[in-house]
Structures are given as structure tokens and as C-alpha cells.
Amino acid sequence: MSNIAEFAKQKPGAGPKVGLVSLGCPKALVDSERIITQLKAEGYEISPDYDGADVVVVNTCGFLDSARAESLEAIGEALSENGKVIVTGCLGATPDLILDQYPSVLAVTGPHRYEQVMKAVHDVVPPRHDPFVDLVPAAGVKLTPRHYAYLKISEGCNHRCSFCIIPHLRGDLVSRPVDEVLREAENLVNGGVRELLVISQDTSAYGVDLRHRGAEWRGRERRAHMTDLAAALGELGAWVRLHYVYPYPHVDDVIPLMAEGKVLPYLDIPFQHASPRVLKAMRRPGNQEKVLNRLAAWRRDVPDIAIRSTFIVGFPGETEEDFEELLGFLREARLDRVGCFRYEPVDGAPANDLPDAVPEPVKEERWNRFMALQQQISMEKLDEKIGRRMTVIVDEIDNEDGVICRSHADAPEIDGNVIIEEPLRRLRPGEMVDVIIEEAGEYDLWARMPDEA
Ligand code: SF4
């Protein structure tokens, strides 16, 4: 929802296009699916032919001589048809073989090197990061480590929020069939993913367009419905994190799954505002009291639940009274993670026609007040965690800062970190480890490993 002006400068519609030629065994197919998932999550489109592609990825097989010959032939074809080619897969394990024959190949990576493939794609055709439309944070586009993956479950949106042009750009909600989503998730987990980040424009509406039509997965019928999907994903043994959940009543139904440990106790619900007047102008549902009651009920059932939200300040017609109401809501709601954007008009959004634009200095001043209050709340909430034991996932080993991890309360790139400065043993990215929290900052926590870890 941020930096809307930047978006307005860009041509709406299609993102960069990537062609993918996939050869080889089912394992290579999993790699290809993983690459496609990541590309789509970052806003790339998959081109069905060479002509329309900005770059072509050839996922090769090198097991048998015949497979090698086929792979080399496919690389040659892609080069002559398109010219910009990245090679990955088993044959990529012997880059000299490829580069001797085809020196103009742009990059060669071995099998399962998704990150390197993504980096090579970014180098040729950078993702058109669009902070208004994209579901993956800008930093997440850089390089998604192999231990977490975005799982996109639908496209488009049935809502008509007045500040948003996504329904205009992407159309109404189109959900992916539930068995397709689950198979992709299963492949991702089999390929080493330890955390699935469920994304869509409106995750809680999943399956509405399919009338929640069911399909079989692992021998059982599953409905295309957020609750069933979350429960099924919970069977995979990976962390499941739900993003972009619109506050429908049935969101309450995933809370028991969190209490049972099947889904991470984390909900990303963009509330956008708290004043009923502003919410009405935004064409968003809103009943502050109800929301506060629901938050209290969720916290009663899952005391550990982390709630993330985003808000817009300075929406047309927002008065000082409306803004005070928003601050009052923040004080009461005590959300764990919060993003706040100053309203900016987007070309084509109905909100542009609303009267009483808020002057820029007022927007700025409100944004500062909002952030100062939330920072205070965030610090207090993090302070409460000192002394507690929790499981964290290792993201990165940083030689200077220590081991950078995240807890259930932290989505990658947008939330905070848990840092282990002195690990008791060698840790690897993707590993889950128990820690005891020792120190809290404004957004991050510092922890130690207990002796027995
Ligand atoms: S819920 Fe509203 S803000 Fe979100 S994508 Fe749909 S129309 Fe846009």
C-alpha cells in the first residue's frame, strides 16, 4: 500500500516475462515448479513461447547421455529463438560443458539452486517491484532463501476499496484449485522449505469463486476454503504463515488451528483505519469495538498470537478526530507488528474524487505521531518476551552480528528478528532452534541458546 506515486508512474498490467523449458525427472520438475512459484510471487509472468519472453530459463537433465544431448539441444534452441538464456538443473553441475558449446549463455547454476536462478533472472530483467500491487516485500524479492517460500493461492479481489485499483488491474478473485495449491506446497516442503507464506490479495476469500469446490489430496476431500486449506497445509510439518487476511467472521475458525500448533499463531490483517467514517469512505468494513472484542477472544484462545496490520493515515476527509480515534484503537489493540503509510492517490482509484484532501504536512505529522505510539507499544510488547523460551527459525549466519533468526511473530523481511550473538553450536539456515530471550530492542530481540539445545 506504500509509495503509490511510484506505482502510478509505471504502466499497469503485465510484469516481465520469463520462459521456462523443463527437462528431466520429477525432481527437476519440482525445481521448475519452485522457480515458477517464486517468479509468480515476485510479479513475473510465465511466457508460453520464446518470442514473448524477456529471458528463458532452461532446466536441464544430465543423467544419461541422451538427456545431456537433449538438454544441450534445448539450450541451443532457446539461444537461437530468444537469445537470453539461463541454464539450471543437473547439466548445470558441469558449467564448462555448457559454456564451451554456448559461451553466450548468461548464467549456469546446478540443480536446486533456486536462489541463484532468481538472482540470474533479476540481473537480466529486474522484478518490477510495485509496492502497491506486490504481495512480496521489496527486500524479499532480492533472494528468497530456500527454507521459506511464498505460496500464492489466488489472484484478484472481489472487494472495491476506494484507494485500490487491484480489482481493476487483476480482476475479480480467481482461486487456484485446492489440490493444485496443496501439491505445490507439498513439493515445496519436500524440496526443503520449512516455512510457507500464504499470500493472495485476500486470503480469507479463498475459494469463494469456486464455491469452495473440494478436491482430493492425500486420500481425503478438501474444500477450497481458507480454514480447510490452512488445516491441510498444517499437515505438512512446515510453518504456515497467513498473510493478507481480510477480517471476515470465519477468520475466527483458523484460531483453533493456531491453538493446536498446525498453523503459526500469526495473522496479518490489514485494518487500514479505525474510524468508521474513514473506513466507510475507504469502502472497508469496520466496527472498532467488534474488532477489539475479536482480538481479545483470539488472545484468550492463543495467548501467543502475533497480529500484524497496516494502516493508512491522511486519507481524504480524515479529521483530527478520526485520527485520534485511530490512535485510541492502536492503544487498545496493542498490535504486535504495524506498518503505516501516508495516503497517496493512485491513478484510477475512486478515492481520488473524494473531497477534503489532507495537506501533506498534516499527513506527515500524523504519520510521525502514529509511528511514535506504535514504536512504544512494540517495545513494551517485546520487553514482555524477555526470559521466555521460544522456537526460532535460522535465516542467516552473519559473521558480525551473529545468527539472524525469526520467531513465529516475525514474517521475513517485514517484521523483526531474533538474534543469537553467541550460538553454542554451528547453526544452518532453515534450522529450528529453541532459545531464551534475553534482550529486547524496538523491533528485534536478542537470545541465547539454552545449554541443552
Ligand atoms: S481488499 Fe481492498 S485493498 Fe485489498 S486488494 Fe482488494 S480492493 Fe484492494
mmCIF file with all atom_site columns, all heavy atoms in Angstrom, residues 393-409:
data_model
loop_
_atom_site.group_PDB
_atom_site.id
_atom_site.type_symbol
_atom_site.label_atom_id
_atom_site.label_alt_id
_atom_site.label_comp_id
_atom_site.label_asym_id
_atom_site.label_entity_id
_atom_site.label_seq_id
_atom_site.pdbx_PDB_ins_code
_atom_site.Cartn_x
_atom_site.Cartn_y
_atom_site.Cartn_z
_atom_site.occupancy
_atom_site.B_iso_or_equiv
_atom_site.pdbx_formal_charge
_atom_site.auth_seq_id
_atom_site.auth_comp_id
_atom_site.auth_asym_id
_atom_site.auth_atom_id
_atom_site.pdbx_PDB_model_num
ATOM 1   N N   . ILE A 1 393 ? 13.436 -19.841 13.727 1.00 0.00 ? 393 ILE A N   1
ATOM 2   C CA  . ILE A 1 393 ? 13.992 -20.435 12.508 1.00 0.00 ? 393 ILE A CA  1
ATOM 3   C C   . ILE A 1 393 ? 15.207 -19.602 12.104 1.00 0.00 ? 393 ILE A C   1
ATOM 4   O O   . ILE A 1 393 ? 15.169 -18.369 12.172 1.00 0.00 ? 393 ILE A O   1
ATOM 5   C CB  . ILE A 1 393 ? 12.926 -20.506 11.385 1.00 0.00 ? 393 ILE A CB  1
ATOM 6   C CG1 . ILE A 1 393 ? 13.436 -21.302 10.183 1.00 0.00 ? 393 ILE A CG1 1
ATOM 7   C CG2 . ILE A 1 393 ? 12.478 -19.125 10.922 1.00 0.00 ? 393 ILE A CG2 1
ATOM 8   C CD1 . ILE A 1 393 ? 12.325 -21.709 9.210  1.00 0.00 ? 393 ILE A CD1 1
ATOM 9   N N   . VAL A 1 394 ? 16.273 -20.291 11.747 1.00 0.00 ? 394 VAL A N   1
ATOM 10  C CA  . VAL A 1 394 ? 17.516 -19.588 11.393 1.00 0.00 ? 394 VAL A CA  1
ATOM 11  C C   . VAL A 1 394 ? 17.402 -19.102 9.946  1.00 0.00 ? 394 VAL A C   1
ATOM 12  O O   . VAL A 1 394 ? 17.114 -19.882 9.043  1.00 0.00 ? 394 VAL A O   1
ATOM 13  C CB  . VAL A 1 394 ? 18.728 -20.533 11.527 1.00 0.00 ? 394 VAL A CB  1
ATOM 14  C CG1 . VAL A 1 394 ? 20.007 -19.836 11.055 1.00 0.00 ? 394 VAL A CG1 1
ATOM 15  C CG2 . VAL A 1 394 ? 18.870 -21.028 12.952 1.00 0.00 ? 394 VAL A CG2 1
ATOM 16  N N   . ASP A 1 395 ? 17.607 -17.799 9.739  1.00 0.00 ? 395 ASP A N   1
ATOM 17  C CA  . ASP A 1 395 ? 17.562 -17.241 8.383  1.00 0.00 ? 395 ASP A CA  1
ATOM 18  C C   . ASP A 1 395 ? 18.946 -17.117 7.772  1.00 0.00 ? 395 ASP A C   1
ATOM 19  O O   . ASP A 1 395 ? 19.158 -17.388 6.621  1.00 0.00 ? 395 ASP A O   1
ATOM 20  C CB  . ASP A 1 395 ? 16.932 -15.834 8.409  1.00 0.00 ? 395 ASP A CB  1
ATOM 21  C CG  . ASP A 1 395 ? 15.439 -15.878 8.150  1.00 0.00 ? 395 ASP A CG  1
ATOM 22  O OD1 . ASP A 1 395 ? 14.934 -16.959 7.783  1.00 0.00 ? 395 ASP A OD1 1
ATOM 23  O OD2 . ASP A 1 395 ? 14.767 -14.855 8.333  1.00 0.00 ? 395 ASP A OD2 1
ATOM 24  N N   . GLU A 1 396 ? 19.883 -16.680 8.604  1.00 0.00 ? 396 GLU A N   1
ATOM 25  C CA  . GLU A 1 396 ? 21.156 -16.266 8.020  1.00 0.00 ? 396 GLU A CA  1
ATOM 26  C C   . GLU A 1 396 ? 22.242 -16.299 9.091  1.00 0.00 ? 396 GLU A C   1
ATOM 27  O O   . GLU A 1 396 ? 21.974 -15.978 10.246 1.00 0.00 ? 396 GLU A O   1
ATOM 28  C CB  . GLU A 1 396 ? 20.923 -14.806 7.590  1.00 0.00 ? 396 GLU A CB  1
ATOM 29  C CG  . GLU A 1 396 ? 21.839 -14.271 6.590  1.00 0.00 ? 396 GLU A CG  1
ATOM 30  C CD  . GLU A 1 396 ? 21.572 -12.766 6.396  1.00 0.00 ? 396 GLU A CD  1
ATOM 31  O OE1 . GLU A 1 396 ? 20.394 -12.330 6.458  1.00 0.00 ? 396 GLU A OE1 1
ATOM 32  O OE2 . GLU A 1 396 ? 22.564 -12.058 6.231  1.00 0.00 ? 396 GLU A OE2 1
ATOM 33  N N   . ILE A 1 397 ? 23.442 -16.674 8.684  1.00 0.00 ? 397 ILE A N   1
ATOM 34  C CA  . ILE A 1 397 ? 24.564 -16.606 9.625  1.00 0.00 ? 397 ILE A CA  1
ATOM 35  C C   . ILE A 1 397 ? 25.358 -15.363 9.239  1.00 0.00 ? 397 ILE A C   1
ATOM 36  O O   . ILE A 1 397 ? 25.910 -15.292 8.142  1.00 0.00 ? 397 ILE A O   1
ATOM 37  C CB  . ILE A 1 397 ? 25.474 -17.862 9.517  1.00 0.00 ? 397 ILE A CB  1
ATOM 38  C CG1 . ILE A 1 397 ? 24.644 -19.156 9.374  1.00 0.00 ? 397 ILE A CG1 1
ATOM 39  C CG2 . ILE A 1 397 ? 26.484 -17.918 10.656 1.00 0.00 ? 397 ILE A CG2 1
ATOM 40  C CD1 . ILE A 1 397 ? 23.798 -19.541 10.534 1.00 0.00 ? 397 ILE A CD1 1
ATOM 41  N N   . ASP A 1 398 ? 25.392 -14.422 10.144 1.00 0.00 ? 398 ASP A N   1
ATOM 42  C CA  . ASP A 1 398 ? 26.093 -13.176 9.855  1.00 0.00 ? 398 ASP A CA  1
ATOM 43  C C   . ASP A 1 398 ? 27.343 -13.140 10.726 1.00 0.00 ? 398 ASP A C   1
ATOM 44  O O   . ASP A 1 398 ? 27.252 -13.211 11.949 1.00 0.00 ? 398 ASP A O   1
ATOM 45  C CB  . ASP A 1 398 ? 25.152 -12.002 10.190 1.00 0.00 ? 398 ASP A CB  1
ATOM 46  C CG  . ASP A 1 398 ? 25.743 -10.665 9.818  1.00 0.00 ? 398 ASP A CG  1
ATOM 47  O OD1 . ASP A 1 398 ? 26.896 -10.364 10.212 1.00 0.00 ? 398 ASP A OD1 1
ATOM 48  O OD2 . ASP A 1 398 ? 25.043 -9.919  9.132  1.00 0.00 ? 398 ASP A OD2 1
ATOM 49  N N   . ASN A 1 399 ? 28.493 -13.058 10.078 1.00 0.00 ? 399 ASN A N   1
ATOM 50  C CA  . ASN A 1 399 ? 29.737 -13.165 10.836 1.00 0.00 ? 399 ASN A CA  1
ATOM 51  C C   . ASN A 1 399 ? 29.906 -12.051 11.859 1.00 0.00 ? 399 ASN A C   1
ATOM 52  O O   . ASN A 1 399 ? 30.529 -12.226 12.891 1.00 0.00 ? 399 ASN A O   1
ATOM 53  C CB  . ASN A 1 399 ? 30.938 -13.191 9.893  1.00 0.00 ? 399 ASN A CB  1
ATOM 54  C CG  . ASN A 1 399 ? 30.971 -14.503 9.145  1.00 0.00 ? 399 ASN A CG  1
ATOM 55  O OD1 . ASN A 1 399 ? 30.405 -15.500 9.620  1.00 0.00 ? 399 ASN A OD1 1
ATOM 56  N ND2 . ASN A 1 399 ? 31.582 -14.496 7.972  1.00 0.00 ? 399 ASN A ND2 1
ATOM 57  N N   . GLU A 1 400 ? 29.320 -10.890 11.574 1.00 0.00 ? 400 GLU A N   1
ATOM 58  C CA  . GLU A 1 400 ? 29.483 -9.788  12.516 1.00 0.00 ? 400 GLU A CA  1
ATOM 59  C C   . GLU A 1 400 ? 28.426 -9.770  13.601 1.00 0.00 ? 400 GLU A C   1
ATOM 60  O O   . GLU A 1 400 ? 28.714 -9.626  14.779 1.00 0.00 ? 400 GLU A O   1
ATOM 61  C CB  . GLU A 1 400 ? 29.431 -8.458  11.757 1.00 0.00 ? 400 GLU A CB  1
ATOM 62  C CG  . GLU A 1 400 ? 30.793 -8.115  11.225 1.00 0.00 ? 400 GLU A CG  1
ATOM 63  C CD  . GLU A 1 400 ? 30.805 -6.861  10.414 1.00 0.00 ? 400 GLU A CD  1
ATOM 64  O OE1 . GLU A 1 400 ? 29.936 -6.001  10.599 1.00 0.00 ? 400 GLU A OE1 1
ATOM 65  O OE2 . GLU A 1 400 ? 31.714 -6.767  9.583  1.00 0.00 ? 400 GLU A OE2 1
ATOM 66  N N   . ASP A 1 401 ? 27.147 -9.937  13.180 1.00 0.00 ? 401 ASP A N   1
ATOM 67  C CA  . ASP A 1 401 ? 26.054 -9.759  14.141 1.00 0.00 ? 401 ASP A CA  1
ATOM 68  C C   . ASP A 1 401 ? 25.666 -11.036 14.875 1.00 0.00 ? 401 ASP A C   1
ATOM 69  O O   . ASP A 1 401 ? 25.026 -10.981 15.919 1.00 0.00 ? 401 ASP A O   1
ATOM 70  C CB  . ASP A 1 401 ? 24.814 -9.208  13.431 1.00 0.00 ? 401 ASP A CB  1
ATOM 71  C CG  . ASP A 1 401 ? 25.075 -7.808  12.901 1.00 0.00 ? 401 ASP A CG  1
ATOM 72  O OD1 . ASP A 1 401 ? 25.958 -7.151  13.471 1.00 0.00 ? 401 ASP A OD1 1
ATOM 73  O OD2 . ASP A 1 401 ? 24.426 -7.410  11.929 1.00 0.00 ? 401 ASP A OD2 1
ATOM 74  N N   . GLY A 1 402 ? 25.976 -12.180 14.318 1.00 0.00 ? 402 GLY A N   1
ATOM 75  C CA  . GLY A 1 402 ? 25.549 -13.430 14.933 1.00 0.00 ? 402 GLY A CA  1
ATOM 76  C C   . GLY A 1 402 ? 24.581 -14.153 14.015 1.00 0.00 ? 402 GLY A C   1
ATOM 77  O O   . GLY A 1 402 ? 24.587 -13.941 12.808 1.00 0.00 ? 402 GLY A O   1
ATOM 78  N N   . VAL A 1 403 ? 23.732 -14.981 14.626 1.00 0.00 ? 403 VAL A N   1
ATOM 79  C CA  . VAL A 1 403 ? 22.812 -15.776 13.817 1.00 0.00 ? 403 VAL A CA  1
ATOM 80  C C   . VAL A 1 403 ? 21.464 -15.046 13.788 1.00 0.00 ? 403 VAL A C   1
ATOM 81  O O   . VAL A 1 403 ? 20.873 -14.760 14.827 1.00 0.00 ? 403 VAL A O   1
ATOM 82  C CB  . VAL A 1 403 ? 22.658 -17.187 14.417 1.00 0.00 ? 403 VAL A CB  1
ATOM 83  C CG1 . VAL A 1 403 ? 21.706 -18.026 13.576 1.00 0.00 ? 403 VAL A CG1 1
ATOM 84  C CG2 . VAL A 1 403 ? 24.025 -17.860 14.516 1.00 0.00 ? 403 VAL A CG2 1
ATOM 85  N N   . ILE A 1 404 ? 21.014 -14.739 12.587 1.00 0.00 ? 404 ILE A N   1
ATOM 86  C CA  . ILE A 1 404 ? 19.768 -13.978 12.429 1.00 0.00 ? 404 ILE A CA  1
ATOM 87  C C   . ILE A 1 404 ? 18.615 -14.975 12.265 1.00 0.00 ? 404 ILE A C   1
ATOM 88  O O   . ILE A 1 404 ? 18.596 -15.770 11.322 1.00 0.00 ? 404 ILE A O   1
ATOM 89  C CB  . ILE A 1 404 ? 19.816 -13.070 11.172 1.00 0.00 ? 404 ILE A CB  1
ATOM 90  C CG1 . ILE A 1 404 ? 21.147 -12.328 11.064 1.00 0.00 ? 404 ILE A CG1 1
ATOM 91  C CG2 . ILE A 1 404 ? 18.618 -12.126 11.128 1.00 0.00 ? 404 ILE A CG2 1
ATOM 92  C CD1 . ILE A 1 404 ? 21.404 -11.294 12.111 1.00 0.00 ? 404 ILE A CD1 1
ATOM 93  N N   . CYS A 1 405 ? 17.684 -14.913 13.199 1.00 0.00 ? 405 CYS A N   1
ATOM 94  C CA  . CYS A 1 405 ? 16.560 -15.862 13.191 1.00 0.00 ? 405 CYS A CA  1
ATOM 95  C C   . CYS A 1 405 ? 15.257 -15.081 13.237 1.00 0.00 ? 405 CYS A C   1
ATOM 96  O O   . CYS A 1 405 ? 15.235 -13.862 13.384 1.00 0.00 ? 405 CYS A O   1
ATOM 97  C CB  . CYS A 1 405 ? 16.610 -16.766 14.423 1.00 0.00 ? 405 CYS A CB  1
ATOM 98  S SG  . CYS A 1 405 ? 18.214 -17.469 14.789 1.00 0.00 ? 405 CYS A SG  1
ATOM 99  N N   . ARG A 1 406 ? 14.178 -15.827 13.164 1.00 0.00 ? 406 ARG A N   1
ATOM 100 C CA  . ARG A 1 406 ? 12.846 -15.234 13.342 1.00 0.00 ? 406 ARG A CA  1
ATOM 101 C C   . ARG A 1 406 ? 12.004 -16.150 14.206 1.00 0.00 ? 406 ARG A C   1
ATOM 102 O O   . ARG A 1 406 ? 12.161 -17.372 14.162 1.00 0.00 ? 406 ARG A O   1
ATOM 103 C CB  . ARG A 1 406 ? 12.135 -15.077 11.998 1.00 0.00 ? 406 ARG A CB  1
ATOM 104 C CG  . ARG A 1 406 ? 12.611 -13.938 11.159 1.00 0.00 ? 406 ARG A CG  1
ATOM 105 C CD  . ARG A 1 406 ? 11.893 -13.893 9.832  1.00 0.00 ? 406 ARG A CD  1
ATOM 106 N NE  . ARG A 1 406 ? 12.187 -15.061 9.018  1.00 0.00 ? 406 ARG A NE  1
ATOM 107 C CZ  . ARG A 1 406 ? 11.336 -16.052 8.762  1.00 0.00 ? 406 ARG A CZ  1
ATOM 108 N NH1 . ARG A 1 406 ? 10.108 -16.003 9.227  1.00 0.00 ? 406 ARG A NH1 1
ATOM 109 N NH2 . ARG A 1 406 ? 11.705 -17.080 8.033  1.00 0.00 ? 406 ARG A NH2 1
ATOM 110 N N   . SER A 1 407 ? 11.085 -15.570 14.954 1.00 0.00 ? 407 SER A N   1
ATOM 111 C CA  . SER A 1 407 ? 10.148 -16.364 15.732 1.00 0.00 ? 407 SER A CA  1
ATOM 112 C C   . SER A 1 407 ? 8.832  -16.443 14.961 1.00 0.00 ? 407 SER A C   1
ATOM 113 O O   . SER A 1 407 ? 8.715  -15.869 13.880 1.00 0.00 ? 407 SER A O   1
ATOM 114 C CB  . SER A 1 407 ? 9.900  -15.707 17.091 1.00 0.00 ? 407 SER A CB  1
ATOM 115 O OG  . SER A 1 407 ? 9.085  -14.573 16.918 1.00 0.00 ? 407 SER A OG  1
ATOM 116 N N   . HIS A 1 408 ? 7.846  -17.089 15.546 1.00 0.00 ? 408 HIS A N   1
ATOM 117 C CA  . HIS A 1 408 ? 6.534  -17.166 14.889 1.00 0.00 ? 408 HIS A CA  1
ATOM 118 C C   . HIS A 1 408 ? 5.952  -15.774 14.646 1.00 0.00 ? 408 HIS A C   1
ATOM 119 O O   . HIS A 1 408 ? 5.117  -15.581 13.776 1.00 0.00 ? 408 HIS A O   1
ATOM 120 C CB  . HIS A 1 408 ? 5.560  -17.993 15.746 1.00 0.00 ? 408 HIS A CB  1
ATOM 121 C CG  . HIS A 1 408 ? 5.078  -17.244 16.956 1.00 0.00 ? 408 HIS A CG  1
ATOM 122 N ND1 . HIS A 1 408 ? 5.783  -17.217 18.150 1.00 0.00 ? 408 HIS A ND1 1
ATOM 123 C CD2 . HIS A 1 408 ? 4.003  -16.463 17.149 1.00 0.00 ? 408 HIS A CD2 1
ATOM 124 C CE1 . HIS A 1 408 ? 5.126  -16.461 19.009 1.00 0.00 ? 408 HIS A CE1 1
ATOM 125 N NE2 . HIS A 1 408 ? 4.040  -16.002 18.436 1.00 0.00 ? 408 HIS A NE2 1
ATOM 126 N N   . ALA A 1 409 ? 6.398  -14.809 15.426 1.00 0.00 ? 409 ALA A N   1
ATOM 127 C CA  . ALA A 1 409 ? 5.831  -13.454 15.328 1.00 0.00 ? 409 ALA A CA  1
ATOM 128 C C   . ALA A 1 409 ? 6.458  -12.617 14.219 1.00 0.00 ? 409 ALA A C   1
ATOM 129 O O   . ALA A 1 409 ? 6.057  -11.469 14.019 1.00 0.00 ? 409 ALA A O   1
ATOM 130 C CB  . ALA A 1 409 ? 6.005  -12.740 16.672 1.00 0.00 ? 409 ALA A CB  1
#
